[in-house]
Amino acid sequence: MQAPFRLGLIADIQYADCEDGTDFSGCEQRHFRNSLNIARNAVECWNAVGVDAVVQLGDVIDGCNAKMNASETALAAVLNVLSRSPAQRFDLIGNHELYNVKRDSMTASGLRCFGPDGLTYYSVHLGDRWEAIFLDPYEISLIGLSQDDSGFLEAQEMMRQHNPNVLTGAKDWFKGLPTSKHRFVPYNGGISPQQLSWLKTALENAEAQARKALIFLHVPLFEAATKAKTVVWNSEEVLQVLHSHSDTVVAVFAGHDHNGGYGVDAAGIHHITMNSPLTAEPGSDCYAVLECHSDGWAHFLPHGRACVESNTDGAGQAYPQLILAKGSKNLPGDSDERSPGADSQASLQGFKTSRCNLAQSGIDPHIIGSENSDQSLRPAAAATWAMAVMVKTRSAEPVAGISRGSMWTREGHPGDLLPDSDKTQMKSDPVSFEPLAVEPSSDESGGHGSTHPILWASNVVRRVCRSIIQAEAYTLQAGVEDGGIMRASITDIFGCLDMTRWEGKSLEQTLSNPKCNKHSDKRLIIEIAPLRQELWRKAGEKAGDRFYDDYKPADDQMTDIVRWIDTDVMIADPLMTKVMEPTKLVEALKLPHSTWSRRSKVS
């Protein structure tokens, strides 16, 4: 499998060397100096992960720098940090760039806002299968343009039509203005007809080359992924173009709205509005890594509260990840453990600091360490972890037990107990990256015994690991599978593998549970969603749960019903496994042929 193309993402750093403040309303707390700390953390994380490119979504410094005559020094400070990443960087034009730097001076200032043709909208290849399309939402604007520029004149005309308050000098731009027109304010802008025409051609080219497209711009296009006051003036025109190529366009990324948001439009395109480091609590993070996979889907991996529920003033639940693919449903939900003071640039908010340390210079990323080890592991996507599967014996007698770190079990698992004559019970104590082994229980062996390696494998974690605990979890999955096979095999050798005790009822319960979207396995949620659409149908409906509203019709209204059939009445099971008694099957076979019907029951 080809490695994904990785992007580092950050929006609205808005750094300024000044004391903390608020926005104009006094409601939004802004931590101007701390935003540079988050940028440093982001770069260190991106370097550890090995991103192929970085997209800075605009507003790299705050407009207050212009009032303090500090635009040049503030911009140099942030670009100095961002330049520590060797990856190619793409800078987008935001309103705060235009407050601080003239368009014709941006390149000289160090910003990389222009494409090879000298335009502020352009596209680039991301590996073999993806296309990045960068747009300029301020071609039609009241800021950054001379008053005789056609884009400025068109912006004035739009204000006359939609929000005259702006042109009359009113202090409150929104007074008497319907919500549908809240976007028509000076800090937003519009996209010109020329840029729209270019966008159509760029998408046609991407489509012809079988490339998936990602759209990047500073101002959001989809109101459901932000709020009414932070949307491109002519967003409907832009969305119309994107929707005409919805099989090609996977997602749209924006900033601008510091409180962030996420939504999926009618064409199935994902819209991600990233939160701002400016408003992140000191000690937390706010950036992301995007993995673009060769088979056409992308994985958004936020660090800290980089994307939260829309229209919550930034206080909603954060998205722990986003699967960006047609038909995928992403659900917010913060981790149980919160770590706003984590000092590691690799920590995803919600993991303990002690379990999120990055490898320091000189530490071998291939070292295996336990939870209590002082050695750290580099959270890179290609970090290699070694796993040993061992068998412990007592003298020459084969005994069984699962060592610490191998797996966890629950009461009722078919391989829990071995024969009473051996008096050896399966063990499972959670600990990080200790060898998987078969050993006597501690009360039998006193913790001593011979160890013989029978398998040694070195595996690559092919996902971005933002913390040690996450890499542990991925690798432990493989260990759990190996441990389960070993345990079941040994249990079967002793003639004690009880196949009747395997549980399968959980899927039926999950399909019937309106809250199945709370399952911790996000990929499993994606798999279950189409099952619910297929099964939660009322008579006459083509699909059930069409809007993922978690409303299950009553059984007497449903076309199809999922039922759990208990093992003891599965009459065909004895044909599949020797441990099943054939009593029910024999009883059924003795019934006269005439008694078989849809109403017949085998008691």
Side-chain angles (χ1 to χ4, degrees), residues 424-533:
T424 305
Q425 184 173 4
M426 297 295 177
K427 291 291 184 180
S428 58
D429 302 317
V431 76
S432 305
F433 291 104
E434 293 194 359
L436 180 66
V438 179
E439 64 180 23
S441 59
S442 58
D443 55 346
E444 285 282 319
S445 66
H448 299 284
S450 300
T451 301
H452 304 281
I454 61 171
L455 174 64
W456 181 274
S458 182
N459 300 317
V460 175
V461 180
R462 298 189 180 276
R463 296 182 66 179
V464 175
C465 299
R466 295 158 292 182
S467 64
I468 290 176
I469 189 174
Q470 190 175 29
E472 288 172 355
Y474 292 155
T475 306
L476 187 59
Q477 281 184 321
V480 165
E481 293 174 359
D482 290 334
I485 292 171
M486 288 183 64
R487 181 176 63 180
S489 298
I490 295 171
T491 306
D492 195 34
I493 288 171
F494 280 87
C496 195
L497 188 62
D498 184 3
M499 293 300 293
T500 66
R501 294 169 65 190
W502 286 100
E503 278 290 340
K505 194 172 183 178
S506 58
L507 178 59
E508 180 268 338
Q509 292 174 336
T510 301
L511 279 171
S512 302
N513 182 3
K515 295 302 180 184
C516 84
N517 57 7
K518 299 301 183 184
H519 198 284
S520 59
D521 188 334
K522 304 302 181 184
R523 291 181 181 274
L524 183 58
I525 292 171
I526 295 172
E527 297 296 333
I528 289 175
L531 284 174
R532 284 161 41 133
Q533 282 201 331

Side-chain angles (χ1 to χ4, degrees), residues 272-570:
I272 299 93
T273 304
M274 290 189 64
N275 291 61
S276 170
L278 179 67
T279 57
E281 287 297 319
S284 66
D285 280 326
C286 189
Y287 53 86
V289 172
L290 180 71
E291 292 182 339
C292 304
H293 292 264
S294 59
D295 48 354
W297 67 281
H299 194 183
F300 180 82
L301 300 163
H303 289 245
R305 293 172 62 82
C307 183
V308 305
E309 293 174 291
S310 307
N311 284 305
T312 60
D313 292 327
Q317 288 186 305
Y319 289 89
Q321 65 172 346
L322 295 173
I323 302 298
L324 306 179
K326 286 294 185 291
S328 64
K329 183 183 180 183
N330 295 291
L331 302 170
D334 290 327
S335 301
D336 294 334
E337 293 176 312
R338 302 302 298 273
S339 179
D343 59 1
S344 167
Q345 61 274 21
S347 65
L348 171 65
Q349 188 167 349
F351 288 127
K352 291 180 179 178
T353 305
S354 61
R355 307 193 69 168
C356 298
N357 292 329
L358 272 177
Q360 301 300 319
S361 177
I363 297 295
D364 184 351
H366 301 84
I367 292 174
I368 300 178
S370 69
E371 180 181 1
N372 298 322
S373 172
D374 292 330
Q375 296 165 328
S376 299
L377 292 171
R378 189 178 304 278
T384 303
W385 302 74
M387 180 187 67
V389 179
M390 302 180 180
V391 173
K392 281 195 173 184
T393 63
R394 179 175 51 197
S395 299
E397 300 176 11
V399 297
I402 299 297
S403 73
R404 299 182 302 165
S406 60
M407 63 190 304
W408 52 268
T409 63
R410 61 177 179 171
E411 184 178 357
H413 192 283
D416 278 350
L417 295 176
L418 289 173
D420 292 339
S421 59
D422 189 80
K423 297 181 180 179
T424 305
Q425 184 173 4
M426 297 295 177
K427 291 291 184 180
S428 58
D429 302 317
V431 76
S432 305
F433 291 104
E434 293 194 359
L436 180 66
V438 179
E439 64 180 23
S441 59
S442 58
D443 55 346
E444 285 282 319
S445 66
H448 299 284
S450 300
T451 301
H452 304 281
I454 61 171
L455 174 64
W456 181 274
S458 182
N459 300 317
V460 175
V461 180
R462 298 189 180 276
R463 296 182 66 179
V464 175
C465 299
R466 295 158 292 182
S467 64
I468 290 176
I469 189 174
Q470 190 175 29
E472 288 172 355
Y474 292 155
T475 306
L476 187 59
Q477 281 184 321
V480 165
E481 293 174 359
D482 290 334
I485 292 171
M486 288 183 64
R487 181 176 63 180
S489 298
I490 295 171
T491 306
D492 195 34
I493 288 171
F494 280 87
C496 195
L497 188 62
D498 184 3
M499 293 300 293
T500 66
R501 294 169 65 190
W502 286 100
E503 278 290 340
K505 194 172 183 178
S506 58
L507 178 59
E508 180 268 338
Q509 292 174 336
T510 301
L511 279 171
S512 302
N513 182 3
K515 295 302 180 184
C516 84
N517 57 7
K518 299 301 183 184
H519 198 284
S520 59
D521 188 334
K522 304 302 181 184
R523 291 181 181 274
L524 183 58
I525 292 171
I526 295 172
E527 297 296 333
I528 289 175
L531 284 174
R532 284 161 41 133
Q533 282 201 331
E534 179 67 24
L535 297 171
W536 287 17
R537 293 185 301 121
K538 294 182 180 179
E541 285 187 341
K542 293 183 177 180
D545 197 25
R546 290 171 293 176
F547 305 107
Y548 299 100
D549 55 7
D550 293 333
Y551 173 74
K552 176 180 176 292
D555 285 355
D556 60 354
Q557 296 178 325
M558 293 176 65
T559 304
D560 301 295
I561 299 174
V562 178
R563 298 291 191 202
W564 166 249
I565 300 175
D566 204 352
T567 305
D568 64 356
V569 293
M570 295 180 184

Side-chain angles (χ1 to χ4, degrees), residues 166-239:
V166 171
L167 302 179
T168 61
K171 292 183 178 180
D172 184 358
W173 290 335
F174 303 101
K175 184 176 182 180
L177 197 67
T179 304
S180 61
K181 293 183 180 292
H182 278 189
R183 72 180 70 176
F184 295 100
V185 287
Y187 53 72
N188 297 326
I191 290 177
S192 70
Q194 294 80 7
Q195 189 175 173
L196 283 174
S197 177
W198 172 88
L199 176 60
K200 293 177 185 177
T201 302
L203 289 173
E204 289 169 357
N205 292 339
E207 197 171 75
Q209 297 173 22
R211 290 177 174 272
K212 294 295 185 181
L214 300 171
I215 311 298
F216 299 92
L217 74 168
H218 180 67
V219 184
L221 293 172
F222 186 47
E223 187 174 321
T226 176
K227 52 178 175 279
K229 294 181 179 180
T230 48
V231 181
V232 169
W233 290 341
N234 59 335
S235 61
E236 290 82 4
E237 293 179 327
V238 185
L239 288 173

Side-chain angles (χ1 to χ4, degrees), residues 121-173:
Y121 49 90
Y122 58 99
S123 66
V124 297
H125 294 339
L126 303 178
D128 297 331
R129 301 298 303 275
W130 290 81
E131 191 80 2
I133 296 178
F134 302 101
L135 301 180
D136 179 0
Y138 291 100
E139 263 201 311
I140 303 172
S141 175
L142 293 174
I143 54 177
L145 300 173
S146 62
Q147 294 190 4
D148 59 352
D149 188 284
S150 60
F152 181 86
L153 297 174
E154 187 171 353
Q156 281 188 318
E157 182 59 31
M158 293 179 77
M159 293 304 106
R160 290 190 187 96
Q161 293 180 21
H162 300 289
N163 190 1
N165 292 337
V166 171
L167 302 179
T168 61
K171 292 183 178 180
D172 184 358
W173 290 335

